[in-house]
Amino acid sequence: MSTTQTNKIETIKASSTKINEVDFSNLSFGSVFTDHLFECDYKNGEWQKPVIKPYAPFLLDPSTRVFHYGQAIFEGMKAYKDENDDVWLFRPDENYKRFNTSAVRMAMPEVPEEIFMSGLNQLLQLDEAWIKKGKGNAMYIRPFMIATGTGVIANPSDDYKFMIILSPVSSYYSGDVKVLIAEHFSRAANGGIGAAKAAGNYAAQFYPTNLANKEGFQQVIWTDDATHTKLEEAGTMNVFFRINDTLLTAPVSERILDGVTRKTLIDLAKSIGINVEIRSVLVSELVEAAKNGTLKEIFGAGTAAVVSPISGFSYQDVYYELPKIEFTMALQLKTKLENIQNKLEEDTFGWTVKV
Ligand SMILES: *Cc1c(COP(=O)(O)O)cnc(C)c1O
């Protein structure tokens, strides 16, 4: 992966900054955006000249393909500022590769590494003042691509727009998260698009998640579509279970997104001597472990919240409350990961990349 800036991207600067209007001590996730964005269009079978320009709305024809057939993919990553004011990305090559895997699955063009990486780096450098120091503070980065060709014919678009927008975030505590294990709905199916970070996967989750919310659960734990017996993901996060002192998580598959946080936590856990098993975890096994007291923790893992502890789950109308543990693996792993990301602890894995 290259972070060298071979080409300076054409940059149109905003005439003024919005930074003074932002209360950085009170950010709600993903709601504030910086002064600039990165944009590169795909036309006539090739990527056009990229540009960095002021963040602003843009016009699209009502027949624009993304509105009708949903060719839309995205990534979620973060940049951190250390005590020396240096800015760091965390495993950006993983997000870049996954973006193109998603693109291929959605019949969209792959973005060249030079465009993705130089766009990312130069945008972050330009809006560097928006990245705040201190644990929990980060810049959430949202690269995305949409089909911009027009006409409601149900074919893949010829034209696309790739953009990167930046949103400053601070750590958030998700509160008490109770989850419902899916007995009917599915997030993904074999042969489907579950392994792609496709916008449609999220749209499909909203309705069953709303139903769960009405019953008092914040999230759904998705099970496999064919049998609903295997535990797969928690909301839009990968999911880990601790039974006794072993950490369990499902292998990634066509139905389970290959999360960067997931694989990072697996490596971190192993490095501190935690026994990790990567295998299908059955609902019956979880219920059994909850009943006999060996189930200690469940947590979600993803870039946005890093680690999200779950306090209990419901299955077939029975609620199982997890024990309150003082020193959880969830917190131990989260602390270690955040320390590495914020350059407070040595990164022996080589995951952090300087902007
Ligand atoms: C983005 C996402 C994750 C988490 O991936 P990270 O790379 O760790 O942020 C997990 N599951 C789904 C369905 C996702 O969309």
Side-chain angles (χ1 to χ4, degrees):
M1 199 221 45
S2 95
T3 50
T4 48
Q5 259 99 81
T6 43
N7 292 309
K8 179 92 178 83
I9 299 164
E10 181 196 344
T11 301
I12 304 161
K13 286 198 180 155
S15 53
S16 63
T17 177
K18 301 170 290 189
I19 198 166
N20 300 319
E21 296 160 25
V22 177
D23 177 3
F24 282 88
S25 63
N26 192 16
L27 292 167
S28 93
F29 184 87
S31 59
V32 169
F33 294 92
T34 65
D35 291 322
H36 300 92
L37 59 77
F38 171 84
E39 178 183 79
C40 191
D41 288 334
Y42 183 88
K43 278 197 180 74
N44 306 318
E46 55 191 9
W47 288 100
Q48 308 293 305
K49 203 163 138 310
V51 61
I52 289 173
K53 60 185 196 182
Y55 186 100
F58 57 98
L59 277 175
L60 287 173
D61 189 279
S63 76
T64 299
R65 222 55 82 78
V66 65
F67 299 144
H68 304 271
Y69 305 118
Q71 271 181 300
I73 59 168
F74 66 93
E75 265 308 321
M77 52 205 295
K78 279 179 177 171
Y80 308 83
K81 190 178 268 180
D82 69 14
E83 285 309 310
N84 305 321
D85 286 331
D86 286 327
V87 175
W88 299 85
L89 286 162
F90 188 75
R91 308 186 80 175
D93 49 327
E94 293 289 339
N95 297 93
Y96 168 68
K97 279 187 264 171
R98 190 171 66 191
F99 193 71
N100 279 344
T101 305
S102 301
V104 169
R105 180 62 185 83
M106 302 304 285
M108 299 168 94
E110 292 176 72
V111 175
E113 187 168 2
E114 166 65 19
I115 292 178
F116 190 99
M117 291 300 175
S118 59
L120 185 61
N121 279 279
Q122 291 181 38
L123 182 63
L124 283 167
Q125 283 162 6
L126 184 62
D127 283 340
E128 174 271 327
W130 291 76
I131 313 173
K132 299 299 175 193
K133 283 190 261 205
K135 220 163 147 178
N137 292 327
M139 181 62 80
Y140 184 78
I141 303 162
R142 171 53 61 88
F144 66 102
M145 182 174 11
I146 55 169
T148 49
T150 55
V152 295
I153 177 162
N155 284 339
S157 173
D158 289 328
D159 301 340
Y160 296 88
K161 188 183 283 297
F162 169 57
M163 281 186 156
I164 304 174
I165 55 177
L166 304 177
S167 178
V169 293
S170 48
S171 69
Y172 61 85
Y173 177 60
S174 40
D176 212 17
V177 178
K178 293 183 184 147
V179 295
L180 187 65
I181 294 183
E183 292 167 48
H184 169 70
F185 291 105
S186 303
R187 192 195 81 85
N190 282 335
I193 59 168
K197 242 174 144 66
N201 283 331
Y202 281 62
Q205 279 182 234
F206 292 155
Y207 175 70
T209 306
N210 280 349
L211 294 180
N213 291 163
K214 278 188 196 135
E215 291 183 51
F217 301 98
Q218 285 72 45
Q219 274 304 344
V220 175
I221 289 199
W222 305 105
T223 47
D224 67 294
D225 62 297
T227 65
H228 296 287
T229 58
K230 297 174 192 161
L231 299 156
E232 307 225 302
E233 297 213 52
T236 59
M237 304 177 102
N238 293 113
V239 65
F240 286 81
F241 307 92
R242 174 182 165 197
I243 296 181
N244 286 320
D245 282 331
T246 296
L247 217 43
L248 303 164
T249 193
V252 295
S253 68
E254 279 190 279
R255 303 183 306 267
I256 300 180
L257 192 108
D258 187 2
V260 180
T261 315
R262 174 189 171 279
K263 61 179 141 206
T264 300
L265 294 182
I266 291 171
D267 289 348
L268 276 181
K270 286 180 177 168
S271 78
I272 55 174
I274 295 172
N275 184 36
V276 185
E277 281 182 25
I278 299 165
R279 61 165 176 85
S280 285
V281 186
L282 300 175
V283 180
S284 56
E285 189 183 354
L286 190 74
V287 169
E288 186 53 37
K291 282 183 181 161
N292 69 24
T294 54
L295 177 65
K296 307 293 184 196
E297 297 178 49
I298 307 177
F299 55 90
T303 296
V306 189
V307 166
S308 180
I310 289 164
S311 57
F313 69 92
S314 176
Y315 181 64
Q316 290 182 338
D317 296 323
V318 181
Y319 182 70
Y320 302 86
E321 178 86 22
L322 268 67
K324 303 254 180 299
I325 299 175
E326 211 172 332
F327 299 105
T328 61
M329 283 185 184
L331 186 63
Q332 196 183 354
L333 292 170
K334 179 178 179 159
T335 304
K336 193 146 181 75
L337 177 51
E338 286 188 333
N339 283 346
I340 292 172
Q341 289 169 330
N342 290 285
K343 306 300 282 184
L344 299 169
E345 190 172 315
E346 197 195 344
D347 171 19
T348 54
F349 298 89
W351 286 329
T352 50
V353 178
K354 203 167 167 179
V355 171

